Amino acid sequence: MTDMISTQSEGLAPALLDGPTPLIPGQLEAPVKKKLGVFFWICAGWIGLIILVAIFANLLPLPKPDFENFAAPQNAGPGWGHLLGTDDLNRDIFSRLLYGSRVSLVVGFGGTAIGMLLGGLPAMYSAYRRGRVDTVLDTISYAVLAFPALVAVIAIGEFWGHQLWKITLVIGVFSAPLIFRVIRASTLSYATRDFVMAAKALGASDRRILARELFPNIVPTIISFGLIAVASIVVLEGTLAFLGLSVPLPTPSWGNMLNEGSTLLSGSKGQTNPWLVIFPAVAMFSLLFTLNVVADKLRAHFDVSEVKL
């Protein structure tokens, strides 16, 4: 009888080894992270290319963006001499497009960084400590969110000036309340977890818990939402520039290029040049699209669940 049981178990052993490991009742499968995919890396590479071109635009063999080359044809289409053509002042559109990306990137990433500092850090502390501090900061964030950000940015810009750093600072300040809401909600989902309670029981300081326990867990939320915030701020800056309320001319930006080109769509100046609108619009669309794709892929990869704000 013993020999029969041992023979059967030996016959079953290879089958058990070759097949999937059976689940113990009550045991959960380990979550499998979604792959980022090729499209993610294409979009991330495009964002990186835009950033590199904006940084090293001075080193490229291009004319200055405000150089009026009267030897070049006016309102010319794309060609070998001027890859994307020229505008009504004989300036190279490709050069202005590359230099104009600096404004969008500085305001987008700079404003998001300021918003993260002013909104993200207080949000973590507020969600962790709760109590009166959380109530006060929460109320302030709701009050600021109730005020139209675009109207505030326009009013402050008209009063204070339209320099690039001022626009970045103002937009960053008014983006802080929304970032506060998102980071606070993400921190709340971890603040009462067992590992945080264990760190408190072991006598860890608040600074250590915030830096070593909570912050690493909300980094995926910060990155994914931060990229969406960059895209939103780029749209806001483009809106201001289109209205003539961003950096003053002749500094190029995608928004003021669209503003200049809009007057040449209908031939109101006796000339027509659709390329002056098409290329900045395509450039802005490609940046916004890739930023949103990368943010969404990262959110799915790190399994950042939606939380109530």
Side-chain angles (χ1 to χ4, degrees), residues 202-237:
L202 292 173
S205 64
D206 291 346
R207 181 181 299 178
R208 178 180 175 83
I209 293 175
L210 288 170
R212 301 292 296 274
E213 305 296 340
L214 290 176
F215 179 72
N217 285 285
I218 65 172
V219 164
T221 301
I222 293 174
I223 295 175
S224 58
F225 182 75
L227 292 174
I228 296 175
V230 171
S232 301
I233 291 176
V234 168
V235 172
L236 177 58
E237 189 282 327

Side-chain angles (χ1 to χ4, degrees), residues 76-86 92:
W80 288 111
H82 299 275
L83 293 179
L84 303 183
T86 59
D92 187 79

